[in-house]
């Protein structure tokens, strides 16, 4: 196995997994360790399903070992905004009124990403009902900007942007009507894409039937490295968070 980084691109990771140079177990564990270290500072996650992610990573590793047909995102750890349904996970959309809502089925986009081999780590914070350019709410609290913890991560996909920028996720799914992907991506120094309306199914998104205010899109580190792209310049630091992760401070 070779060295891996939570700041590697998805293209790099998928090539390495398909060629057996790294294991899905290694890359998922690296991200979970990163989350464990940084979540207390960032508060990017609403729900983390580490046990299921590790089990899926072991199954993905077995598929590689057995030379099975692999999907384009096989073993890639992703995250999703907490207004998009994932079966069995809380989906509060930042509101106390939805704190007990647990979807029974995945949103179509989530199902398609899983079918492509992606491993979902958890879902991420958003302002109440997605209605703010800062990610803060009475249910889960404020998500901080990984470049400076005193600053906002933006909204409403602020949890996604903070998690990806901090190396806690390789890429993610948000939603955007008036900038809810693009603004937090800008705040956190990554890339956010609002796709052509209707290009990605919005079934399973809250609020439903939101039209132009509920288009689902992607969040990542750049536009040059494949599906859900992400890259990070190695000579930059994230408000000391890399040092925190190394030292446990």
């Amino acid at each position: 196995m070779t060295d891996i980084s939570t700041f590697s691109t998805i293209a790099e990771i998928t090539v390495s997994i398909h060629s057996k140079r790294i294991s899905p177990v290694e890359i998922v564990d690296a991200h979970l360790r990163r989350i464990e270290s940084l979540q207390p500072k960032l508060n990017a996650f609403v729900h983390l399903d580490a046990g299921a992610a590790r089990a899926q990573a072991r199954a993905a590793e077995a598929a590689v070992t057995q030379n099975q047909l692999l999907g384009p995102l096989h073993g890639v750890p992703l995250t999703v905004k907490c207004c998009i349904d994932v079966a069995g996970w809380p989906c509060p959309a930042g509101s106390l009124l939805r704190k007990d809502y647990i979807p029974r089925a995945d949103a179509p986009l989530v199902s398609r990403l899983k079918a492509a081999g992606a491993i979902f780590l958890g879902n991420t914070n958003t302002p109440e009902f997605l209605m703010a350019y800062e990610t803060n709410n009475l249910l889960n609290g404020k998500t901080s900007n990984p470049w400076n913890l005193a600053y906002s991560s933006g909204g409403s996909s602020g949890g996604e942007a903070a998690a990806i920028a901090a190396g806690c996720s390789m890429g993610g799914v948000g939603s955007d009507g008036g900038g809810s992907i693009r603004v937090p991506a800008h705040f956190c120094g990554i890339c956010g894409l609002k796709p052509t309306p209707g290009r990605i199914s919005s079934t399973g998104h809250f609020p439903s039937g939101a039209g132009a205010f509920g288009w689902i899109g992607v969040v990542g580190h750049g536009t040059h490295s494949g599906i859900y792209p992400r890259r990070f310049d190695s000579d930059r630091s994230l408000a000391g968070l890399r040092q925190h992760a190394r030292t446990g401070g």
Side-chain angles (χ1 to χ4, degrees):
M1 297 296 180
T2 188
D3 291 338
I4 58 174
S5 168
T6 58
F7 292 101
S8 299
T9 67
I10 284 181
E12 290 165 347
I13 290 298
T14 53
V15 168
S16 294
I17 288 174
H18 282 239
S19 62
K20 302 181 182 179
R21 292 200 299 271
I22 63 169
S23 161
V25 172
E26 288 181 296
I27 193 64
V28 166
D29 279 346
H31 281 82
L32 291 174
R33 288 193 301 271
R34 185 85 175 166
I35 294 167
E36 182 181 10
S37 175
L38 299 184
Q39 170 65 6
K41 288 179 174 287
L42 291 178
N43 192 35
F45 285 82
V46 169
H47 178 76
L48 182 67
D49 199 345
R54 286 193 170 101
Q56 292 170 45
R58 290 192 295 270
E61 182 179 62
V64 174
T65 302
Q66 297 164 14
N67 295 316
Q68 296 180 15
L69 183 65
L70 307 180
L73 293 176
H74 189 84
V76 173
L78 301 180
T79 45
V80 61
K81 189 177 181 180
C82 75
C83 60
I84 299 170
D85 286 352
V86 178
W89 289 5
C91 185
S95 178
L96 290 167
L97 298 176
R98 284 175 55 90
K99 66 182 179 64
D100 296 322
Y101 171 63
I102 307 293
R104 296 183 179 180
D106 292 334
L109 176 60
V110 172
S111 296
R112 292 167 186 167
L113 289 169
K114 287 181 176 180
I119 296 173
F120 280 95
L121 303 174
N123 62 15
T124 53
N125 203 19
T126 182
E128 185 169 23
F129 296 148
L130 326 183
M131 297 300 290
Y133 285 127
E134 178 177 7
T135 295
N136 194 0
N137 59 67
L138 294 176
L139 179 62
N140 300 111
K142 176 190 174 184
T143 297
S144 294
N145 190 309
W147 294 96
N148 185 326
L149 297 175
Y151 291 176
S152 170
S153 64
S156 63
S157 303
E160 277 300 298
I164 294 165
C168 296
S169 171
M170 297 207 72
V173 181
S175 58
D176 190 315
S180 284
I181 288 174
R182 294 162 290 166
V183 168
H186 170 70
F187 279 24
C188 293
I190 60 173
C191 178
L193 174 66
K194 179 183 179 181
T196 301
R199 183 67 180 86
I200 298 175
S201 171
S202 59
T203 301
H205 176 274
F206 177 86
S208 61
F213 293 98
W215 301 126
I216 294 179
V218 301
V219 194
H221 261 296
T223 57
H224 54 276
S225 54
I227 303 172
Y228 293 90
R230 63 186 316 282
R231 181 179 291 278
F232 190 80
D233 296 330
S234 60
D235 61 341
R236 300 162 77 185
S237 64
L238 282 168
L241 292 182
R242 283 186 166 186
Q243 181 64 26
H244 167 80
R246 287 195 297 270
T247 62

